[in-house]
Structure formats: C-alpha cells, structure tokens
Amino acid sequence: MRLSLASVLVVMMVALGSAQQTVPRGRGGTPVAPSGIPPVPLPDKPLEFDTAEGQKIRVVVVARGMSNPWSMVWLPGGDMLITERTGRVRRLRGGGLDPTPIAGVPAVVAGGLGGLMEITLHPQFATNQFVYLSYPKPVGPPPPPRAGGAGAPGGGGGGAGQASVLAIARGRWNGTALVDVKDVFVAQTGVGGPARMAFGRDGKLYVTTGGVGSGAQDPASQAGKVLRLNDDGSTPADNPFVKHVGYAHEVYTLGHRSSLGLAVHPGNGEIWQHENGPNGGDEINVLKPGANYGWPIVSYGRSYPGPWQAPKLSHENFEQPLVIWVPSIAASGIAFYNGDKLPKWKGDVFVGALREGEIPGTGHLERILFNEQMEELRRESLLVPMRQRIRDVRQGPDQLLYLLTDDPKDGALLRIEPAP
C-alpha cells in the first residue's frame, strides 16, 4: 500500500505527538516545578569573574545568615538597614551584621513569598529621620494557632492564613530603633503583592502593587498599579486621575502584574519599573503619568500551563516595554550604575534574577547596556556559576554594587568590586 505525502505527514505528526512526555500538573493545570539545579554554597573566600566588557570583578560575601533579605538602604555614615521577609530589620555596621533586630517594626504577615518588603529613606532624612517600610498588614482575627507555629523571631511575623492588606509605615530613626511608627497608607481591601518604593525627584513616593489577580485594568482598583503619594501618604493634587470619576486617585500608571523593581534614572529622573510576566514576558517599563502597560490584555509571556497569555503582544492603547525577557528571569531589584569604580559598566542597568526559564537554581545578575537613546544594545548574565537567587541590587555610596540573595536560612549581602 502506498501512502500519499499528506498521509505520511499525519502519521509523523501523530508519532511525534505521542512521543511528547506528559508533564505533571498541579492546581489550576500549572506544571509542577522541577527540582532544578542543586544549589551552590556561598564561598568562604572572594570569587573572581571575567565579564563581557573586559572588566574583571571580585564578589565578596559581606554578611550572611539572614532570612530571605528583601531590601537595603544606607544610613548617613555608611551603616546599612536590611529588611528580612520574616518581619525583621537588620543593621550592618562596622562590616558586621548586628544580631539584634531593629525595634519598632510593625506586625507583618509573613508566609510564602509575602512579608516585610521595601525600606527607603525620606529625601530629607538628614533633617526628619523618616524611614518607610512596605508590608502586608494583618487584618481581621488571627487564625487558630498551629502546633509549632510562631512568628518571626525578633520581628512582627504573622501566622500562616492571616488575612492582610498592603500598607506603608513611616517611623523616625533615633539612631538605634524606629520610633513614632504609624501607617501613612493602607491599600484597599484585597490589595497586596510585592511593593517596591522609590521617591521621585518631585518628592513624591511611588509604590508598586501586585496585579496577578483581577484588578490591573480596573481604574477603581489600586491593584496592578504604580501609586503616587505625598510623603505623608495622602494623594497629590496633580495625580493623573484625581479628577476622573471611577478612578482610584492614587493611581499613577496601570496594567501591571507583579512589580519587583522600581528606581529613578540618575540622569533624567524618569521612574523605571520592572515586572514579572507569567511564563516569560518579564519587562522593564519607563513610567508615564496615566499610561496603561497592558496586563493582562497584552503580554510577551505564556500562561503557566503553556498557551500564550494574550492573543496580542502589543496594542496601540498600551505602552510598550523597554526591555523584555523570554524566557522569564523572575526579575527582582533594579539599579542604575553611574559610579567610577566599575568604569566599563557606567550607565548600565542591573536587574536581579531569581531564576531563569522556570528552573530553580538558575538565579544570577543581569546587566543591560543601552545607547544614548536608551535603546538596548546587549545584555549579559553575571554570576551564573554562583546560582544565587538575587532579590535586590543597589549601587552603594562607595560606588560599588551590592546584592541581596534570597535564602530562608543563609541569605547574604554580596559586594561586587574590581578585581585587583
């Protein structure tokens, strides 16, 4: 019997289809994550790496033993405050991590990927000593206690199952602790997710909110947005939607998914934000007042079970991202480098990567080079052999780069410096 070409192709397609392995699925049809690549212990000695621009670097472990560190900020004089997701603020001084957490941190609901998040200082910190924290505030009655359950030691950790809402607290730093701490902003019921913060050159506080669920395209919802607030948490009179009926007046931009990076461009003052897509489609955006960035109507990513998230990658009514990642890198933290200690990287943007392509054990640091028109020229994956989940990246006052690694028991502060 002779088969036509079409019949042969059908037989081949059936054969190939039957050869495709079945991927285990979890809730909602999401593929179960693989075990990933085994972790690499943090080194006892500095590591040296060659980089693409011919700049040899050394990576030093400055401090370790933290529980899921999330954000860092420098105090005048060089000391550093670091948040731990479990609900603690730690102080680094004299090159060592103070074993006693900072007092005055509000009660935090810590569980899963949620907990104490961003820490930032007021632009006039030298005169008012104001420190800001973003966190999930417990609401409603606490859940019944479980055997062996406890909050974060030394902090305000809440139990699993406790309802929460995104809040921003402001306290005054007295040199050893936070005092006069109060919430200056509490989001609408049900609004949560990661909340990065940054003060713009206009003196306003910009805050990201999670938008994985519904709400990112709802103008009345604060979810899936970047909010713009006065330093006391009130709404600025010149916000883009203040005079619009049916809009949340705090909203600056909308259509965001899960924003884990927010920074101010040191040259022109633009607010840059990055967010995680689903399975691919992580992106960097330059924020424009009142602009819509499209989630979940447009996306460069696939849904976790496999199909494309949206039928269109772009739409004329939505802002296009400046940078995209496919596959995803689980972007977290963003920093502009404008120092002189690492001259080959001057003007580059750095983004932390928690993992790549949905594979655990593939965390690293991304470097992106732009031209004078801020168009991407090339990017580089750094510190890949270390396989660390990079949660945050900042330029320090010493013009070196600092990273936080995300680990529940041995989270660390790393420093990148020129190799001798």
Side-chain angles (χ1 to χ4, degrees):
M1 181 179 65
R2 298 180 63 183
L3 296 176
S4 66
L5 177 59
S7 298
V8 171
L9 291 175
V10 169
V11 171
M12 290 177 64
M13 291 175 64
V14 171
L16 289 172
S18 63
Q20 178 62 44
Q21 63 175 300
T22 300
V23 179
R25 306 273 176 164
R27 287 187 299 175
T30 300
V32 176
S35 57
I37 301 174
V40 175
L42 287 168
D44 295 325
K45 298 180 180 180
L47 296 178
E48 293 188 2
F49 297 95
D50 292 312
T51 68
E53 308 296 337
Q55 183 162 264
K56 195 175 183 67
I57 60 170
R58 180 169 64 180
V59 180
V60 179
V61 178
V62 179
R64 59 191 301 176
M66 290 177 280
S67 179
N68 298 117
W70 213 92
S71 175
M72 55 185 151
V73 71
W74 281 265
L75 296 169
D79 286 0
M80 181 188 288
L81 298 181
I82 303 173
T83 60
E84 293 179 310
R85 203 168 66 217
T86 47
R88 303 187 298 188
V89 175
R90 308 292 297 277
R91 185 177 185 180
L92 183 82
R93 53 179 171 178
L97 193 65
D98 194 326
T100 303
I102 297 299
V105 178
V108 170
V109 177
L113 295 177
L116 185 60
M117 295 175 283
E118 187 77 276
I119 184 168
T120 193
L121 306 183
H122 192 282
Q124 282 79 52
F125 176 83
T127 56
N128 60 30
Q129 306 294 297
F130 283 157
V131 178
Y132 293 76
L133 297 167
S134 63
Y135 73 104
K137 178 184 180 67
V139 295
R146 296 187 301 175
Q162 169 72 60
S164 66
V165 65
L166 172 63
I168 297 171
R170 186 179 73 182
R172 184 171 53 82
W173 175 249
N174 69 359
T176 58
L178 293 174
V179 297
D180 304 326
V181 178
K182 66 176 183 178
D183 292 329
V184 294
F185 176 79
V186 178
Q188 298 166 340
T189 300
V191 174
R196 288 285 184 186
M197 299 186 293
F199 274 98
R201 288 187 179 176
D202 55 4
K204 307 305 181 184
L205 181 63
Y206 293 79
V207 184
T208 70
T209 66
V212 173
S214 61
Q217 289 296 323
D218 180 356
S221 172
Q222 296 167 346
K225 310 295 193 298
V226 174
L227 310 180
R228 181 173 181 261
L229 308 172
N230 291 318
D231 64 351
D232 62 358
S234 61
T235 302
D238 60 346
N239 268 8
F241 300 113
V242 163
K243 298 181 180 180
H244 289 65
V245 177
Y247 280 73
H249 293 169
E250 303 87 357
V251 172
Y252 185 70
T253 59
L254 62 158
H256 302 292
R257 187 175 180 270
S258 182
S259 302
L260 285 163
L262 195 68
V264 179
H265 191 290
N268 56 27
E270 292 174 335
I271 308 293
W272 284 34
Q273 169 263 2
H274 72 58
E275 61 189 87
N276 281 230
N279 188 358
D282 300 357
E283 57 189 47
I284 293 178
N285 297 301
V286 178
L287 300 185
K288 302 176 182 178
N292 190 328
Y293 292 81
W295 175 261
I297 298 173
V298 296
S299 173
Y300 285 88
R302 295 180 179 274
S303 64
Y304 290 111
W308 288 105
Q309 165 66 32
K312 292 184 178 181
L313 300 180
S314 62
H315 190 283
E316 61 181 5
N317 294 327
F318 300 135
E319 292 293 321
Q320 278 286 291
L322 185 67
V323 175
I324 63 169
W325 281 272
V326 178
S328 65
I329 62 165
S332 186
I334 182 172
F336 296 91
Y337 184 76
N338 64 347
D340 296 318
K341 297 289 183 65
L342 299 163
K344 297 287 187 179
W345 290 349
K346 191 159 188 172
D348 294 353
V349 173
F350 291 83
V351 173
L354 297 167
R355 66 182 184 190
E356 185 172 10
E358 304 300 313
I359 306 297
T362 54
H364 59 278
L365 179 67
E366 294 266 308
R367 179 187 67 89
I368 307 167
L369 172 68
F370 296 89
N371 63 17
E372 293 82 356
Q373 290 74 43
M374 298 313 294
E375 298 163 332
E376 180 185 349
L377 295 182
R378 54 184 176 264
R379 66 182 76 175
E380 179 181 11
S381 296
L382 299 162
L383 316 188
V384 173
M386 296 185 71
R387 298 209 289 271
Q388 297 293 319
R389 287 169 53 85
I390 305 301
R391 174 61 70 182
D392 199 12
V393 53
R394 305 288 173 110
Q395 179 179 321
D398 56 4
Q399 300 183 38
L400 300 176
L401 282 173
Y402 288 79
L403 317 176
L404 290 176
T405 68
D406 183 48
D407 188 273
K409 295 182 179 179
D410 200 21
L413 174 67
L414 310 181
R415 182 177 66 238
I416 297 179
E417 58 190 36

